[in-house]
Amino acid sequence: MRAVLLALWRPEHPVHALTGLLLWCLWFVLLYAGLSLGCVWLPEAQALSSPWNTINLGLGLLTLVFVLFYALLVWRSWRALQRQPEAHFMLWLGLLVHLLSAAATLFVALPVLYLPPCV
Amino acid sequence: MSEPGNSREQTLAKVWANLPGWGTLAAVNHTSIGLRFMVTGMLFFLVGGVLAMLVRTQLALPEQELISPEAYNQLFTMHGTVMMFLFAIPVLEGLALYLIPKLIGARDLVFPRISSLGYYCYLFGGLIILSSLFFGVAPDSGWFMYTPLSSAEFSPGPGSDFWLLGITFVEISAMAAGIELTVSILRTRAPGMTLSKMPIFCWYILAMALMIVFGFPPLILGSILLELERAAGLPFFSVAEGGDPLLWQHLFWLFGHPEVYIIFLPAAGIVSTLIPVFAQRPLVGYRWVVLSILLTGFISFGLWVHHMFTVGIPQLAQVFFSLASMLVAIPTAIQVFAWLATLWTGKVRFELPMLWVFGFLVIFVCGGLTGVMLALVPFNWQVHDTHFVVAHLHYVLVGGMLFPLMAGLYYWLPQLTGRLPSERLGRWGFWLTFGGFNVTFLLMHLTGLLGMPRRVYTYEAGLGWDWLNLLSSIGGFVMAAGIGMVLLDLLLHSRFGRPAGRNPWQADTLEWATDMPPTTYNFASIPQVNDRHPLWRDPALPARIADGDYGLPDAQHGRREMYGTDAISARIKEVVHLPTNSWWPLLASLGLAVVCISLLLRVYPLALAGCVLAAIFLLRWSWENGVQQHAAPLGVDEPDNPPLHSRTQDGPGRWGMLVTLMADAALYLSLLFGWFYLWTVAPNWRLPEQPAFDLLSLVLCGALLTAACWRYQHVVKQLQKGRDDGLSWAVMQVALLGLAHTLVLVKLLVDADLQPQSLTHDAIILVMLCYLLLHSGLASVVTLLQAWRVRLGYVSAQLPYEALVFRPFWQYSLVIYWASVVAFVLLPTWWGAA
């Protein structure tokens, strides 16, 4: 099992053509679910009229964690790309997928900075 | 030299042949099944087209009474349903089933009997849905069947039932194709064809297949829930008892938006295949196009709420989906620029298929732009439910699917008949279709902007919509004439068309290395592929393949064989021996058709009998596999380097099981989503006063399942080590433990005192328990049969394959049991206590 996990973690493994996007999907589900649950369960949520509140802060932190993880994945792919030219196709694909997933995450999360959560 | 070659080809032809006469119904070969899908899909397309013409006739002039409002509702509902579910998806699946093995250098798909089952489910399901029109009881709530309009209260007739049961039946074929194509592409590519050397069309189909695997289950679940509500009164979408009609919208569009890309991606794959051939150069930015396919596939799952902007969702959530909707335009634009750059830098031959490609580029780009407009929340609110949305939908789907499909049809026509189409008729067909389409739908944008709502059977004169509707109707008939011209061309060319010769378009991919029309085994020998454009690199390759210079040139053993290769490196791992013609898929689908029809008629004992019948046929089918003596006698004439896949521990069957479980997990996650959604959002959601289950009983029940799973795991590990002492008894122990678990679960269900007709909470618990029972029951029965098979020598240390294939099913059953205990029982209890 450990060997399988280690093989999957290697940046040249084809699963990394999907990792970034799978993470994006997970982040998106957490973002939408977090917002919806926050609006239902926090007593003061409906009255919030500014973006600076617990819900938006939580969503922002969530986004930050994911973006930092993407940065790690990009860095690993970049380093492997320098060392393993024979796996160029998969490494290059993985690197761009991670990079674009990070960009997509930041882009979609942008409104957290300027919209109240539950209005 | 020629005599051995002829004899070899005759043997191959004999081994791979369909049965004669009525026996052709037992065919499982991908060429036959793919063609059947496409021909059936085109016939449904004609039906859908006639319905569209009736709609346009009614709307041509204001205040017309040609068609009653009731009939009009049925017409537009059936037009959308037929075009989306019975034409667009199946015809593209058929194309993929037909082409993929030929493109990847294989002789067939990995699970040919499942292809056949898929076809019959599609055919029977389609006919059942269509029959509702002739009985005058067709569904009439629109092709997305919103509740409560489609619920029993507002649609008391059988129309919605036809839709829900028929579509679920048809979706079996989509799931079958999704699983089959995924495993085939990953595990049976020609030796040397690594992922980076795979034809670009295969990337598109791989993405489409995986999207089907994850995208269809939410709709299957939604359809089951709505049918249960209508037939048995379980209130999933009824507010009074704790349900919510918006749950249907979520489940539908969780499927519905990815579906747009499930339709678009293969069509874009056709374009990415054709443009390099006619530009006579490789596709510019192959890696960027692969990247954009992956991005499109994933991001399309994050857009579903943009169909629901007007239902009262907070602005912040709407903006998330709005931005994600704009985001998906970027990978599509990458592909458009790659196509333009390929055309720009190539020497383009303007032959007939390219006309349709240009039609696609123009129309689809326009549709994409109105899509970005609709992603903007204020604009979306403004044009919601108007003809603007109808126009956008047709620009995307007709431009993004029909035009590339026509291009592909003309391009691959020599594959089907060995002849070329008529340039003159073909051009007439294109220009009439292109002109008629734009007259119809470009103007429809204006009709929508002027405020005409969709789905109204008539309108008052003088609202500014009269001339637009008239011109739209005229355009619709011109388009129909264009399609008629294309059909005429297709009919005439098989007799009068010029012989095409091999590789008439000087293409680069392997499907043109087959005979024309192709033989049932595609390739007389399976080539080594070292380049993304094998026929450009080596034009003599087809001749050498035909001469038997490459792998598996003989079939004296009587088996249908091809290579199984590593998913990443494409190195040969095993020889996959495939099942031959079989009646079981037809019989099983007939059993399922009996279930479907008797549920429609509400004759439940007959439905139960149909279920039992279908289960018997399916289990009997599964009894026959590669380990029987007649399929591949053990040790007699048996290759060992590479070995037959049924002697290995990681054949395609295991991959098929894993992909199937991914789809199953998507269904379970959809159920979990429904549970949490209703719990948090439904205004009248309430828990029963007393917990439905005793926790200790649940734990004991789970312990039995855990023990069964652990024992099975142990059995498999022993087999992997080459030990099979006491195997039959060990497998029997697993089956008995599983049966004991199933019986305890049944008892828990009986003792639970659920009120599923008056409480949505209990209705969902009931569905969850049935889901668990289905899994543990199936696992136990199959394992019982496996114990019998051990005694017959079909499972042993030499033949461990079956046990390895089935192990993930036990593991999955265990995971969903404990996940359900936590999510459906413990969590509400803890939450209530807190």
Side-chain angles (χ1 to χ4, degrees):
Chain A
M1 190 63 179
R2 191 165 175 271
V4 172
L5 289 176
L6 281 174
L8 286 174
W9 180 239
R10 292 160 70 96
E12 67 274 18
H13 195 284
V15 78
H16 290 294
L18 304 178
T19 319
L21 292 163
L22 284 168
L23 285 171
W24 183 83
C25 287
L26 176 66
W27 167 80
F28 195 78
V29 168
L30 291 176
L31 184 82
Y32 185 40
L35 174 67
S36 306
L37 295 178
C39 289
V40 171
W41 286 337
L42 283 187
E44 75 282 9
Q46 300 299 329
L48 296 172
S49 57
S50 106
W52 305 107
N53 56 70
T54 326
I55 297 174
N56 286 32
L57 186 68
L59 299 179
L61 282 174
L62 174 78
T63 304
L64 199 63
V65 169
F66 272 79
V67 170
L68 287 173
F69 191 61
Y70 285 130
L72 171 71
L73 293 173
V74 169
W75 177 72
R76 289 177 74 244
S77 301
W78 175 252
R79 278 194 5 156
L81 202 55
Q82 311 301 316
R83 287 195 306 244
Q84 302 174 57
E86 72 282 357
H88 188 260
F89 179 80
M90 273 303 154
L91 286 169
W92 184 93
L93 199 60
L95 186 143
L96 275 181
V97 164
H98 298 143
L99 206 59
L100 291 174
S101 302
T105 305
L106 285 171
F107 180 63
V108 175
L110 215 56
V112 168
L113 295 175
Y114 62 87
L115 276 177
C118 309
V119 179
Chain B
M1 285 297 286
S2 65
E3 275 186 15
N6 282 342
S7 149
R8 202 180 54 244
E9 284 165 21
Q10 281 166 5
T11 311
L12 277 167
K14 189 177 160 197
V15 169
W16 288 84
N18 294 343
L19 297 174
W22 285 103
T24 194
L25 296 175
V28 296
N29 183 278
H30 81 104
T31 301
S32 307
I33 300 295
L35 277 174
R36 285 172 197 183
F37 260 102
M38 286 190 276
V39 170
T40 311
M42 291 308 280
L43 292 173
F44 280 124
F45 171 68
L46 295 181
V47 173
V50 169
L51 298 176
M53 291 300 95
L54 289 170
V55 167
R56 282 314 325 165
T57 307
Q58 167 68 12
L59 292 181
L61 298 170
E63 297 166 26
Q64 288 207 98
E65 296 289 342
L66 293 173
I67 296 170
S68 67
E70 294 77 19
Y72 185 83
N73 290 347
Q74 294 186 16
L75 285 180
F76 73 70
T77 301
M78 284 299 285
H79 167 68
T81 302
V82 168
M83 288 303 198
M84 295 297 272
F85 294 102
L86 303 184
F87 165 61
I89 301 172
V91 94
L92 290 167
E93 281 164 17
L95 185 71
L97 295 176
Y98 180 89
L99 279 176
I100 285 297
K102 295 176 173 65
L103 280 161
I104 60 176
R107 285 180 172 153
D108 206 336
L109 294 158
V110 275
F111 310 122
R113 290 181 295 186
I114 290 186
S115 308
S116 173
L117 175 78
Y119 173 71
Y120 286 120
C121 288
Y122 162 51
L123 178 68
F124 296 147
L127 290 176
I128 288 169
I129 297 169
L130 214 56
S131 68
S132 65
L133 260 182
F134 295 98
F135 296 125
V137 290
D140 56 2
S141 315
W143 74 273
F144 35 79
M145 294 291 288
Y146 275 1
T147 52
L149 184 60
S150 58
S151 299
E153 187 181 357
F154 299 104
S155 295
S160 298
D161 302 315
F162 270 97
W163 193 98
L164 295 164
L165 292 166
I167 291 298
T168 305
F169 197 11
V170 169
E171 277 161 4
I172 295 173
S173 79
M175 296 305 300
I179 294 162
E180 169 119 88
L181 289 165
T182 303
V183 181
S184 296
I185 293 172
L186 290 176
R187 288 290 272 106
T188 60
R189 299 192 306 274
M193 188 186 277
T194 56
L195 289 173
S196 61
K197 294 190 185 109
M198 198 161 74
I200 193 72
F201 186 74
C202 299
W203 277 105
Y204 281 98
I205 296 300
L206 182 60
M208 173 199 85
L210 284 168
M211 288 175 73
I212 287 176
V213 166
F214 291 105
F216 272 63
L219 179 61
I220 293 175
L221 177 75
S223 301
I224 292 170
L225 297 186
L226 184 50
E227 185 54 29
L228 280 173
E229 179 175 288
R230 291 177 55 84
L234 307 190
F236 302 104
F237 308 104
S238 167
V239 175
E241 292 87 358
D244 190 341
L246 278 187
L247 175 62
W248 170 265
Q249 292 196 27
H250 278 291
L251 290 174
F252 185 89
W253 290 116
L254 268 167
F255 145 82
H257 200 82
E259 193 218 24
V260 173
Y261 292 91
I262 288 170
I263 292 169
F264 168 67
L265 281 178
I270 295 172
V271 175
S272 288
T273 304
L274 266 61
I275 284 181
V277 171
F278 289 99
Q280 304 180 72
R281 59 147 297 146
L283 180 69
V284 171
Y286 174 92
R287 286 179 300 184
W288 283 97
V289 174
V290 171
L291 177 73
S292 70
I293 295 167
L294 298 176
L295 287 172
T296 308
F298 275 87
I299 294 176
S300 68
F301 279 91
L303 317 181
W304 82 94
V305 170
H306 78 206
H307 295 272
M308 302 166 61
F309 278 160
T310 55
V311 302
I313 288 169
Q315 281 177 20
L316 183 57
Q318 292 191 43
V319 177
F320 291 153
F321 286 94
S322 171
L323 292 176
S325 306
M326 287 184 228
L327 210 58
V328 83
I330 294 173
T332 313
I334 293 175
Q335 291 171 72
V336 171
F337 284 117
W339 296 328
L340 293 178
T342 309
L343 290 169
W344 187 270
T345 54
K347 294 174 193 161
V348 183
R349 286 183 282 134
F350 288 97
E351 302 202 44
L352 197 49
M354 281 303 281
L355 263 185
W356 291 92
V357 169
F358 278 109
F360 154 79
L361 282 171
V362 172
I363 294 173
F364 183 72
V365 168
C366 294
L369 290 175
T370 51
V372 176
M373 291 163 72
L374 281 165
L376 296 163
V377 178
F379 183 80
N380 188 294
W381 286 350
Q382 196 66 30
V383 296
H384 177 74
D385 257 349
T386 68
H387 271 210
F388 186 92
V389 177
V390 182
H392 158 73
L393 171 96
H394 284 83
Y395 258 74
V396 171
L397 290 178
V398 177
M401 181 269 170
L402 185 69
F403 275 71
L405 182 72
M406 288 295 175
L409 189 65
Y410 273 115
Y411 176 71
W412 281 297
L413 207 51
Q415 274 267 323
L416 309 182
T417 59
R419 291 177 183 274
L420 290 164
S422 152
E423 277 283 323
R424 179 175 294 181
L425 271 179
R427 284 178 188 275
W428 269 100
F430 168 76
W431 285 112
L432 284 172
T433 309
F434 182 78
F437 172 83
N438 281 295
V439 171
T440 308
F441 293 105
L442 192 65
L443 296 178
M444 200 179 280
H445 288 99
L446 293 178
T447 324
L449 288 173
L450 289 172
M452 180 167 173
R454 66 197 296 193
R455 297 177 175 177
V456 289
Y457 89 106
T458 191
Y459 52 94
E460 283 180 43
L463 292 171
W465 308 338
D466 307 16
W467 66 277
L468 289 167
N469 271 302
L470 180 61
L471 285 178
S472 278
S473 295
I474 291 170
F477 282 93
V478 173
M479 186 181 169
I483 297 293
M485 202 68 85
V486 172
L487 287 176
L488 186 66
D489 191 14
L490 295 181
L491 285 176
L492 293 179
H493 99 284
S494 60
R495 186 170 171 82
F496 303 109
R498 281 182 294 126
R502 189 173 257 172
N503 198 1
W505 313 111
Q506 291 89 53
D508 57 331
T509 38
L510 279 178
E511 81 275 27
W512 298 104
T514 61
D515 285 350
M516 278 201 295
T519 54
T520 44
Y521 51 89
N522 291 339
F523 303 99
S525 60
I526 298 179
Q528 173 80 24
V529 176
N530 298 316
D531 194 272
R532 203 180 288 157
H533 313 283
L535 297 198
W536 283 349
R537 184 187 173 93
D538 181 7
L541 185 65
R544 287 208 298 280
I545 291 172
D547 287 346
D549 289 357
Y550 297 101
L552 303 176
D554 289 313
Q556 292 293 342
H557 39 64
R559 289 188 293 269
R560 294 186 175 190
E561 287 187 349
M562 60 184 193
Y563 283 134
T565 47
D566 184 80
I568 301 166
S569 65
R571 290 196 192 97
I572 297 172
K573 286 183 77 172
E574 67 260 310
V575 172
V576 178
H577 51 119
L578 298 170
T580 182
N581 303 304
S582 171
W583 291 97
W584 299 117
L586 174 59
L587 291 172
S589 50
L590 278 171
L592 292 171
V594 169
V595 177
C596 188
I597 293 168
S598 43
L599 286 176
L600 272 171
L601 299 173
R602 311 230 162 147
V603 186
Y604 296 120
L606 186 61
L608 190 65
C611 277
V612 173
L613 199 66
I616 290 171
F617 287 143
L618 288 167
L619 290 171
R620 178 64 186 79
W621 159 357
S622 73
W623 189 260
E624 283 177 16
N625 61 21
V627 297
Q628 262 92 344
Q629 289 292 309
H630 65 82
L634 197 62
V636 180
D637 185 26
E638 182 173 324
D640 54 6
N641 186 25
L644 294 174
H645 82 272
S646 55
R647 278 62 165 156
T648 67
Q649 299 188 4
D650 187 30
R654 188 165 159 272
W655 287 62
M657 173 61 82
L658 292 173
V659 179
T660 306
L661 290 178
M662 285 182 201
D664 200 356
L667 187 100
Y668 182 71
L669 287 174
S670 304
L671 183 62
L672 273 183
F673 167 77
W675 167 255
F676 286 117
Y677 177 83
L678 292 176
W679 185 3
T680 49
V681 174
N684 290 331
W685 176 262
R686 58 186 190 279
L687 299 172
E689 288 170 10
Q690 293 295 323
F693 304 105
D694 166 34
L695 190 58
L696 187 63
S697 308
L698 280 175
V699 171
L700 284 175
C701 184
L704 285 168
L705 181 62
T706 310
C709 196
W710 176 83
R711 189 75 183 103
Y712 200 75
Q713 179 82 1
H714 181 70
V715 166
V716 171
K717 278 189 176 165
Q718 292 299 309
L719 282 174
Q720 283 176 310
K721 288 176 187 166
R723 295 182 203 147
D724 56 10
D725 310 328
L727 183 63
S728 176
W729 173 232
V731 176
M732 182 62 88
Q733 285 171 5
V734 177
L736 292 176
L737 282 167
L739 282 173
H741 160 78
T742 309
L743 289 174
V744 175
L745 204 53
V746 171
K747 185 166 185 326
L748 278 171
L749 175 60
V750 172
D751 294 346
D753 193 26
L754 297 173
Q755 309 289 323
Q757 289 174 320
S758 52
L759 209 57
T760 305
H761 171 278
D762 285 6
I764 294 195
I765 294 287
L766 179 63
V767 171
M768 179 272 291
L769 281 175
C770 291
Y771 180 80
L772 295 181
L773 270 173
L774 184 71
H775 283 78
S776 50
L778 186 62
S780 306
V781 170
V782 171
T783 309
L784 204 59
L785 290 173
Q786 207 168 60
W788 188 8
R789 291 171 68 81
V790 172
R791 297 178 78 87
L792 294 173
Y794 297 155
V795 184
S796 64
Q798 277 180 294
L799 299 168
Y801 186 62
E802 271 184 49
L804 279 146
V805 168
F806 200 60
R807 177 172 57 174
F809 192 85
W810 273 109
Q811 293 167 335
Y812 177 77
S813 303
L814 184 68
V815 169
I816 53 168
Y817 180 83
W818 289 114
S820 300
V821 169
V822 172
F824 292 90
V825 181
L826 295 182
L827 212 54
T829 312
W830 291 336
W831 193 263

